[in-house]
Amino acid sequence: MNSVDRQLAKLGLELPETNPPQGNYRPFVRAGSLLFIAGQGPRKGGELVFKGIVGDTVTLEDALQAARLCALNIVTHVKTACDGDFDKVKGFVRLAGLVRCAAEFEDQAKVLNAASDLICELFGERGPHARIASGTHALPSGMAVEIEAVVELVN
């Protein structure tokens, strides 16, 4: 068992099954040593778990859980892209996240911290990354949070 799988077990977390793309795109693409993970919503078993507007119909606590679920979906795609071998991950490069939020909501960074913190807990020194956290008035399917990632792989 590799270090990421051990950390998942230690945290009592399981990776969700791979969610199918919701359109005409690939869930991830490798370009050289970079792995681009398409935007992941808070889906589990193909079902949207967190839907609504953060700061209105979705609480900050639920938004944090939504961001963690997005991060777990990202990690699931990383595992698939690496044929199950997390040792192929050199490091996370960037997370970019959108929070569907009320106009007065200003805690987008707090929401994305939940995803960043989980990635760092799972990958240790390979986890820290650059990041952007933005707010928006709408996301596909009404999801509350969507996060994409860029990961560097060992050649």
Side-chain angles (χ1 to χ4, degrees), residues 2-86:
N2 63 50
S3 62
V4 175
D5 287 321
R6 280 194 299 275
Q7 277 299 103
L8 284 163
K10 180 180 173 182
L11 296 170
L13 297 173
E14 291 183 15
L15 291 179
E17 291 183 25
T18 303
N19 290 302
Q22 301 295 304
N24 187 15
Y25 63 90
R26 294 181 183 164
F28 60 84
V29 172
R30 184 169 180 175
S33 65
L34 295 179
L35 178 66
F36 295 84
I37 307 291
Q40 297 298 304
R43 294 183 185 278
K44 191 169 187 178
E47 297 295 320
L48 186 60
V49 179
F50 295 96
K51 183 175 183 173
I53 300 169
V54 181
D56 183 15
T57 60
V58 176
T59 66
L60 177 58
E61 183 55 41
D62 282 345
L64 299 175
Q65 293 306 312
R68 286 176 60 89
L69 182 52
C70 292
L72 286 173
N73 284 321
I74 287 167
V75 173
T76 295
H77 285 297
V78 170
K79 186 171 188 173
T80 300
C82 293
D83 299 320
D85 185 3
F86 285 120

Side-chain angles (χ1 to χ4, degrees), residues 79-99:
K79 186 171 188 173
T80 300
C82 293
D83 299 320
D85 185 3
F86 285 120
D87 291 336
K88 292 181 180 178
V89 174
K90 186 171 183 179
F92 274 72
V93 176
R94 181 175 191 257
L95 292 185
L98 292 168
V99 179

